[in-house]
Amino acid sequence: MPTLHDILREGRMVANHRPWPRAMVNARTWQMAAATAADGRLTLLGLWGDADVVHMALLDDQAGSAAVLSLECPDKRFPSVGRLHPPAIRLERALRDMHGLEPVDCPDPRPWIDHSGGAPYPFLSAEGDSLHQIAVGPVHAGIIEPGHFRFTVNGETVVRVEERLGYVHRGIEKLMRGAMLEQGAKLAERVSGDSTVAYALAFARAVEAALELEPPPRALYIRGLMAELERLANHLGDIGAICNDASFAMMHAHCGILRERVLRAAHGCFGHRLMRDCLRPGGVARDIDAAGLALLDALVTDIRRHFPALVKLYDNTASLQDRTVTSGILKPALARQFGAGGYVGRASGRAFDVRRSIAYPPYDELEFDVPSLTEGDVNARVWIRIREVEQSLSLIEQMMARLPAGPVMTAVTSRPGESVSMVEGFRGDVLVWLRLDDDGRIVRCHLRDPSWFQWPLLEAAIEGNIVADFPLCNKSFNCSYAGHDL
Amino acid sequence: MLKFLLQGLTRPPLTEAPPSPEDAELTALAARLQTAARRRLGRSLSIRAVDAGSCNACELEIHALNNAYYDIERFGLRFVASPRHADVLLVTGPVTNNMRQALERTYNAMPNPKWVVAVGDCALDGGCFAGSAAVAGGVAKAVPVDLSIPGCPPPPLEILKGLLTLLEQM
C-alpha cells in the first residue's frame, strides 16, 4: 500500500500552499488515496469542493504528516471516496448539495444540507416484527440546537437511529467568498458558538500561514489562555449536563457554577464571556493585564479547590454510574476508521490531539498529557473530560508563568496564497482551508467541524441501547449542529 | 453526596453572595420582575426557546439563566418543553430556510395570548449572516416580534432585563 508521500509523488505539486503540501492528482491517484484511507493507513481529515475542483485532506498518522489532494472535475463529476471509505459519504452529499459536483457511485444519493426538495426525506428503513418509529426534532424539548432524529425501536431498545441535519445551514462558506479578512474572522467565530476561540484560532492560523506571518510570542500565549478557558468552560458544562441527562441534577448545578466562573473570568480578562472578537489574524485584539492574570490565578485556585470533590461525587454515586458505565459504547475500530477527534476519539482509543500530534505554538513548549481510554462508553467520555479539565488548569498555570512580554499584534499584509490549518477545539480538530487573492480577499474558505466525523458514530454507539439513554449518549458526544451545518 | 446536600443547607446561596455592582443590579431587577410578573401573569411566565439558525452561543447564555447565579425560576420564569405550555417564544438565529417552517409551526402551536422575543444580533436582522440566500434575515421575517434583545450573544443579565421589559410592556 502506498504512503502519503508516494501518493503525493504521483501528482503535480501546487506552489504557495502552506504548511502542508497540496498536489493536483488524476482520478486514478484520487481513488488510490481513497483506497489507502479505506485500508486504515490514512485518516480522512476533510473533503470539500471548489469551482470544478474537489479537495481531500489526508493525515498519515504514523509519519505525522498531512497533505491536500486536488482533483479537477471539468464535467462536474468525480470518483466517490465514500464508495470505498464510508466517513466521506456525508461530506460528498454536502458537496453535491453545495457545489453541484457529483460523486460518481456514492452509495447515498439523498441530499444532505439542502432541504429545498419538496418530497419527504426518504429515511433508511428497518424492518421486522414489532418495530415502531419515533420522530424527534428539529425542535427539541430542551434549549438545544435543531436536528431531527428518526428512531426505530423494538420495545425500549433502539434498533436504528438516523440523523437528519442541515437545519442551521446559514450559508457561511458562500458569505466567505469575496469577504475581507476582518469579516471572514467574524464569520469564522460564529460557525459554532461554543468553539468561538477554536474557530477564530484556526482561521487566524490559516491566514498567517498563507501570508507567512508570525504573530508575536505574547499573542501566541494569550491565544493559548483563551483556548484553554474555552475548553474548561465547555468541559465543565458538559460534565454537568451529561449527569443531568442521567437525572443527577446536583452535578449539573455545581458544574454550572464552575462554568459560570470561567465565563466571568473570561469576561474580566478579555471583555467577552465567550471571547468573541478577541482573537484576530496577526495576533490578539486584546492584551491581558495584571488584573486579568490575577483573575485567572484565582479561577484556577477556585476550580482546583472545588472540582476534585465533584469528581469524587461522580465516581461514588452508584445510581449515576449505573447509567453512564457501558452505555453508548463506541468501538475503537470505528473511532479509528472515522478519525474521530476530541473526547469521542480519545475515549475509544484514538489518542489524537492536534496540540500534540501536529504541535502548534504555544503547546510545543508546554507540558501536558493527552488522556485516552479504550472503553468508549459514556463514562469514558466523562472521564476524558475530567482529565482534560485538570490538564487545562495546568496549561493555564504554565502559560501564565511563561507569558512573554511585548506586542500582541503584527501587521497583516495582503497577497495571494493558499493554506490549511488545524487546531484542537474542545470538541476535537477544527480544519480550515483558505485561498486568498491579491487584495487580501477570501476566494474560498472551507471550515470543517470535528462533528462531521462524530455524528455518524453516534448512530452506531446508540444501537442496542434504550431510548431513554439517547439524551445521555447524545450529550456525551455533544456534537455541534451549527458547526456541521455551516 | 450527603456532604454536598448538607453544604447546600448550611451555606448561603450563591445568588446572595457579597454584593458587587452586578449582583446589586440583579437584585434590583429581581424585585421589579416579581412585581410585574405577579400583577400581569400571576407570577409565572412559561418560555419556549427555539433555535432558528443560531451558532449556539445564544443558547449557551440562555442556559446560563438556569444556573445558580441567575436562577431564573425564582422569578416565576421557566422554560417549558412544549409550545402548547408557553406564553413566550424565545427565538435565536437569523431564521434559516431549513428552520423557517419549524419555527412557524412552533409559533402556531402556542395558545393566545403569546409574545415573541428575538434574542441576539442575528435574530434581529440576520446579523453577520444577513444577505445569505440560506437565511430569512431576522425573526420578524417569519413571525411577529414583540421584543428584540441585541448582543452577540447577549449576556444572561441582558436577556433577563429584556424579559422584564417585555413583562412591563404586556
Side-chain angles (χ1 to χ4, degrees), chain A residues 38-62:
Chain A
D39 200 48
R41 282 160 198 267
L42 294 175
T43 305
L44 180 70
L45 293 178
L47 181 70
W48 65 99
D50 203 347
D52 293 349
V53 180
V54 282
H55 306 282
M56 165 160 64
L58 292 161
L59 171 77
D60 188 333
D61 280 311
Q62 258 129 40

Side-chain angles (χ1 to χ4, degrees), chain A residues 213-226:
Chain A
L213 292 176
E214 192 61 51
R218 186 176 174 85
L220 296 173
Y221 272 73
I222 294 177
R223 286 175 172 189
L225 287 173
M226 289 175 177

Side-chain angles (χ1 to χ4, degrees), chain A residues 134-136 140 147-151 161-163 455 470 474 481:
Chain A
I134 309 171
V136 179
H140 297 275
H148 181 94
F149 300 100
R150 184 64 59 96
F151 295 82
V161 168
E162 196 185 352
E163 296 149 2
W455 273 121
F470 180 74
N474 191 18
Y481 300 70

Side-chain angles (χ1 to χ4, degrees), chain A residues 115-121:
Chain A
H115 292 196
S116 63
Y121 184 77

